[in-house]
Amino acid sequence: MADVQFDPTTHPHRRLNPLTGEHVLVSPHRTKRPWLGQTEPPQQSNLPRYDPQCYLCPGNTRAGGQQNEKYEHTMIFENDYAAVLPPPGPAAPPAPHPLLTTEPVQGGCDVICFHPRHDLTLARLPPKDIERIIEEWCTIYKRRGAQEGIKYVQIFENKGAMMGCSNPHPHGQVWSLSAVPSLPATELSNLKNYSLSTPPSDAPRGPLNRACLLCDYVHFEVTVARDEGRVVLQNDHWVALVPWWAIWPFEIMLLPYKRHVPSIVHLTPEEKTSFADILSQVTIRYDNLFSCSFAYSMGIHQRPTPPKSDALPEDQDEENLAHLHLHFAPPLLRSASVRKFLVGFELMAEPQRDLTPEQAAQRLRGLSDLHYLNVPQSADNVTATEGVDPTNS
């Protein structure tokens, strides 16, 4: 076998995620593996425009007894069942053992309703409505990030029951904490280490004219031949790609590539418009993949909190080493009803995938930019395989 040339499309191999320092095992030879395991029920797609029983629809009463305003665009409220509570909080008790430490956490949890209509998602919203959501993200990121004791603001969306979403009404969440959580802390640490140890390239640079890991990475990705690479979508300011180190079958990273952008509040009006456009296109392609309302978890990683009003100039502020990016982690694997599970080897050793990131990007690139529900269909062209991946990959 020593004289056999390595082929990443057929031979097992590991790929390093430089943001986390962890590897993923890629096993492309397993894409034809038969599936006799669990299947998921179809995602409900015939929702009403307004549901009188929905806790998030305009004018309705929430589970905690509060009444929603009759909003026409977006609405923000404090989560009635928050995961963290506002300060002040009690001090931690003495540790019973050095290995059993407790760190009190305070903060707040907010819910953002994306739209008053119960039956819409990001994929079904016009980009102008998505721009309003982006503005709300900026508003709450600045407001929560300016509060005393808050060290991190996480914006995210869970879409679909299989991702733990408790209500199909289009909405996201914002959790603000008195500590930086483990995953973004690891990313920030690796971004900092890279900036201090890597000579600047011809890619855009971060603060203090230092190299930026994600600037360098995406600068390379956009130069790879389109039919060979991992780029799915690209516009004037943003690129959506299946990262080299992707864990989830159709995982996407979305980030600005023309310049170093530390957070959403650093975006120009033009970059926000492009952001809304590409968010629309990414989510449309996800829905089109298996002709279903495609489940995912999405999160924004950026500066832990926005700069203060008296902060240093943007290019001199070392806190700006963060590079704004979004992670999309979708579970669907072979069809609208077959999902990937992180179990066994993946829990006990390291993540593993069959479909290569390049193959996943090719699949997503080939999809229409018109939502499948907006395509006129006759009874003759609706097939029994709707929602199924014909390649069984």
Side-chain angles (χ1 to χ4, degrees):
M1 292 289 290
D3 56 349
V4 175
Q5 187 171 3
F6 174 78
D7 181 357
T9 66
T10 59
H11 294 136
H13 58 281
R14 299 169 83 206
R15 298 190 183 190
L16 174 67
N17 180 347
L19 280 173
T20 64
E22 298 177 350
H23 286 83
V24 57
L25 174 64
V26 184
S27 309
H29 60 293
R30 297 206 328 157
T31 54
K32 301 302 181 184
R33 181 171 62 111
W35 179 260
L36 296 175
Q38 176 175 316
T39 59
E40 305 294 328
Q43 298 288 305
Q44 189 176 359
S45 59
N46 58 341
L47 297 170
R49 292 168 65 102
Y50 166 77
D51 183 351
Q53 303 302 316
C54 171
Y55 298 135
L56 302 181
C57 278
N60 287 0
T61 300
R62 299 201 300 273
Q66 300 87 344
Q67 187 171 21
N68 296 331
E69 60 186 80
K70 294 184 178 180
Y71 62 99
E72 297 181 355
H73 298 293
T74 58
M75 179 182 71
I76 298 178
F77 64 90
E78 290 193 33
N79 198 317
D80 300 323
Y81 300 96
V84 292
L85 301 175
H97 186 278
L99 296 177
L100 308 179
T101 61
T102 301
E103 177 188 358
V105 178
Q106 285 89 44
C109 297
D110 299 282
V111 176
I112 304 179
C113 293
F114 294 160
H115 198 276
R117 275 185 54 175
H118 185 77
D119 60 333
L120 297 181
T121 62
L122 288 181
R124 306 299 311 283
L125 290 177
K128 279 295 182 186
D129 283 340
I130 298 177
E131 278 195 71
R132 290 192 179 98
I133 297 167
I134 292 169
E135 291 298 341
E136 292 286 24
W137 285 341
C138 291
T139 296
I140 199 162
Y141 172 64
K142 288 189 287 189
R143 177 168 64 84
R144 284 295 194 178
Q147 290 180 348
E148 185 71 25
I150 294 300
K151 296 182 179 178
Y152 186 79
V153 180
Q154 177 64 63
I155 300 168
F156 66 98
E157 178 197 8
N158 292 327
K159 182 192 173 204
M162 72 175 70
M163 296 308 289
C165 183
S166 60
N167 190 321
H169 193 105
H171 71 285
Q173 299 186 56
V174 182
W175 290 14
S176 309
L177 299 91
S178 56
V180 181
S182 301
L183 181 55
T186 299
E187 286 193 0
L188 290 165
S189 176
N190 286 325
L191 285 166
K192 182 176 182 179
N193 291 339
Y194 186 91
S195 74
L196 294 173
S197 62
T198 307
S201 67
D202 57 352
R205 299 177 187 178
L208 303 173
N209 205 37
R210 293 174 183 166
C212 167
L213 188 158
L214 284 176
C215 286
D216 283 357
Y217 171 62
V218 73
H219 184 71
F220 169 78
E221 287 285 21
V222 297
T223 66
V224 177
R226 193 64 179 264
D227 58 348
E228 300 173 5
R230 291 159 291 276
V231 171
V232 176
L233 291 164
Q234 185 176 345
N235 65 21
D236 288 342
H237 303 102
W238 292 79
V239 64
L241 55 87
V242 181
W244 170 262
W245 52 82
I247 294 173
W248 297 96
F250 295 97
E251 180 176 332
I252 277 181
M253 176 185 286
L254 177 60
L255 69 167
Y257 70 98
K258 290 255 179 105
R259 69 183 187 97
H260 181 80
V261 180
S263 78
I264 52 177
V265 299
H266 292 87
L267 294 171
T268 66
E270 294 78 15
E271 288 168 335
K272 289 179 182 177
T273 298
S274 293
F275 187 13
D277 287 339
I278 203 165
L279 269 176
S280 173
Q281 284 298 308
V282 165
T283 52
I284 285 172
R285 276 172 167 73
Y286 269 163
D287 279 11
N288 287 348
L289 182 60
F290 298 130
S291 298
C292 68
S293 185
F294 198 80
Y296 59 75
S297 280
M298 177 275 288
I300 299 177
H301 282 179
Q302 56 186 332
R303 259 187 78 126
T305 58
K308 309 300 182 186
S309 58
D310 58 348
L312 294 168
E314 184 176 329
D315 61 350
Q316 298 297 311
D317 186 352
E318 194 169 9
E319 294 297 313
N320 284 335
L321 62 86
H323 187 112
L324 170 64
H325 61 287
L326 284 73
H327 295 285
F328 281 85
L332 291 179
L333 173 61
R334 299 168 180 240
S335 72
S337 60
V338 176
R339 61 169 296 175
K340 175 182 177 64
F341 292 91
L342 290 175
V343 297
F345 181 87
E346 293 171 287
L347 280 181
M348 305 301 166
E350 68 186 18
Q352 181 271 340
R353 63 179 291 129
D354 297 344
L355 191 70
T356 69
E358 295 75 26
Q359 291 166 339
Q362 184 180 36
R363 290 281 307 281
L364 292 168
R365 273 197 307 271
L367 297 169
S368 172
D369 59 3
L370 181 64
H371 196 278
Y372 76 96
L373 290 177
N374 295 336
V375 177
Q377 283 193 330
S378 67
D380 294 337
N381 61 21
V382 177
T383 71
T385 59
E386 184 181 45
V388 176
D389 174 5
T391 68
N392 196 35
S393 59

